[in-house]
């Protein structure tokens, strides 16, 4: 059976237990109970000091078309229950046939700098519908946030030199499409992924591989042929046989192009001691009068290696980063979570807190309908993030204190500082609420660059960065502590 991505049913892009729970809510008569879920992550990716939010564009697209087709329902009807009979009842299948998504989703805009233990997506609506969205939402946002963050780190290490992403051939399946977009959101200047370029309006770039050189009788012939067919996009890969001779051949072609009024844009080195070879290449090019020809380095690069190469004084103009960017090579998952934080029964006006305690303090959740206030110093740098309940907002200038959710002794005063609220409408009333430039990867890239500039240099360090202060609003912290005590008391009395 052939599967085309445009024909995929995103409603079935979920774990089975989301649907078995949905059936349970329906059978228990609680399916229309309103719920609030919060999506966040627990720890910094790549042992860094920040993350770049991404994946909201794909999430909005999926939500706008979320429905169960007759084929979907027919498939679910074939699933057997382990104990015998059908897994799903006819009543639940009928519900899916008539399904209409009725949730509100708020999220931070793509490109926003975010931190652990603060909501980056909030979902509200009938509890069974909110539950059904969990897997898909986490898949979209967690993966793309991870890639965007990796790209930001790579681009930070590149120190202003453009980075092109070309990890498609080694990425995990068609997820590479969204990985390419996330890489641009994180700061990459372009991608080699042509389909992603078409789908998302991304700049694309690329020239030739070793096989082009190997298909000709000799390297010089290959370079001359490429210069003839691509005079406006000519970068030559010089390490197929011998780098020094490859550079010499590229110089020959570069001078021939210059005589024709054309320009050799760059040479690319893809193996060997990249720092040493780039220095040799720069000297050879300059001595030949080709000072305007750039040097591009590739070959399993990441932020650590790029930083090391530049520290050696390598004269690099362009970086090409593939495998370790598109696959988030050193950390395969963000570890995003999606937790129930409040419910409201039909006919009631107030939300009721819900809290998960577990046996591990790191998994303790925060109750309420949550949002985030970001505070700024006078110079525009960010001072701290406050997680608060939207129905119990802190009063500006009246004791604005954040309490570390993992350590109540760590507190910070934010009184009198300018702030903004982070969550924005993403989906409501059956349609996406982000339009125009807000949905552009390049707009999100600009936002990411602007927001990274608000971080202190200690928070941008690759190793052992300073921890940015994120905490609960003081009243929310106290409320959580009371709820913990109440729930633990119930356990003791049971």
């Amino acid at each position: 059976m052939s599967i085309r991505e445009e024909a995929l049913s995103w409603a079935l892009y979920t774990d089975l237990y989301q649907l078995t729970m949905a059936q349970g809510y329906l059978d228990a008569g609680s399916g229309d109970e309103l719920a609030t879920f919060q999506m966040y992550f627990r720890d910094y990716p790549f042992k860094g000091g920040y993350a770049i939010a991404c994946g909201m564009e794909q999430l909005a697209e999926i939500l706008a078309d979320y429905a169960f087709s007759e084929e979907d329902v027919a498939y679910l009807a074939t699933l057997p229950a382990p104990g015998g009979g059908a897994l799903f009842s006819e009543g639940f299948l009928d519900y899916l046939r008539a399904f209409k998504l009725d949730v509100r989703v708020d999220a931070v805009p793509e490109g926003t700098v975010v931190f652990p233990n603060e909501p980056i997506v909030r979902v509200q609506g009938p509890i069974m519908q909110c539950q059904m969205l969990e897997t898909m939402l986490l898949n979209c946002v967690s993966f793309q946030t991870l890639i965007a963050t990796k790209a930001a780190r790579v681009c930070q290490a590149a120190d202003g030199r453009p980075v092109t992403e070309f990890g498609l051939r080694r990425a995990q399946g068609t997820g590479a499409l969204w990985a390419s977009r996330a890489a641009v959101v994180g700061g990459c200047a372009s991608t080699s992924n042509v389909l992603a370029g078409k789908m998302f309006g991304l700049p694309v770039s690329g020239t030739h591989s070793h096989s082009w050189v190997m298909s000709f009788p000799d390297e010089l012939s290959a370079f001359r042929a490429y210069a003839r067919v691509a005079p406006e996009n000519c970068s030559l890969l010089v390490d197929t046989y011998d780098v020094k001779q490859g550079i010499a051949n590229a110089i020959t072609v570069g001078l021939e192009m210059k005589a024709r009024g054309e320009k050799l844009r760059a040479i690319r080195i893809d193996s060997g001691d990249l720092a040493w070879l780039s220095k040799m290449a720069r000297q050879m090019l300059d001595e030949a009068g080709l000072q305007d020809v750039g040097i591009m380095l590739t070959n399993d690069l990441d932020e650590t290696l790029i930083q090391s190469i530049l520290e050696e004084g390598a004269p690099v103009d362009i970086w090409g980063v593939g495998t370790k960017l598109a696959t988030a090579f050193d950390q395969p998952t963000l570890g995003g979570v999606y937790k129930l934080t409040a419910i409201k029964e039909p006919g009631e006006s107030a939300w009721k807190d819900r809290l998960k305690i577990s046996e591990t303090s790191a998994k303790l959740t925060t109750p309420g309908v949550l949002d985030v206030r970001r505070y700024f110093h006078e110079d525009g740098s960010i001072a701290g993030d406050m997680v608060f309940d939207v129905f119990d907002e802190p009063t500006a200038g009246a004791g604005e204190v954040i309490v570390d959710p993992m350590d109540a002794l760590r507190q910070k005063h934010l009184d009198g500082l300018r702030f903004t609220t982070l969550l924005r409408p993403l989906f409501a009333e059956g349609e996406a609420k982000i339009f125009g430039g807000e949905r552009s990867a390049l707009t999100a890239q600009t936002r990411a660059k602007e927001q990274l500039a608000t971080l202190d240099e200690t928070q941008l360090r690759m190793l052992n960065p300073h921890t940015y202060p994120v905490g609960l609003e003081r009243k929310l912290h106290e409320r959580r502590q009371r709820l913990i005590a109440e729930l633990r008391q119930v356990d003791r009395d049971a």
Side-chain angles (χ1 to χ4, degrees), residues 6-23:
E6 64 267 26
L8 289 178
S9 170
W10 292 108
L12 294 188
Y13 193 61
T14 188
D15 293 306
L16 182 63
Y17 82 160
Q18 309 292 8
L19 295 175
T20 58
M21 281 189 287
Q23 178 171 251

Side-chain angles (χ1 to χ4, degrees), residues 19 21 66 83 114 155 172 225 238 248 250 254 274 290-292 328 378 385 390 478 481:
L19 295 175
M21 281 189 287
Y66 194 92
V114 291
C155 292
Q172 290 91 341
V238 299
L274 297 180
L290 296 176
Q291 293 88 348
D292 59 347
E378 289 186 5
D385 283 7
V390 300
E478 293 170 352
Q481 293 305 109

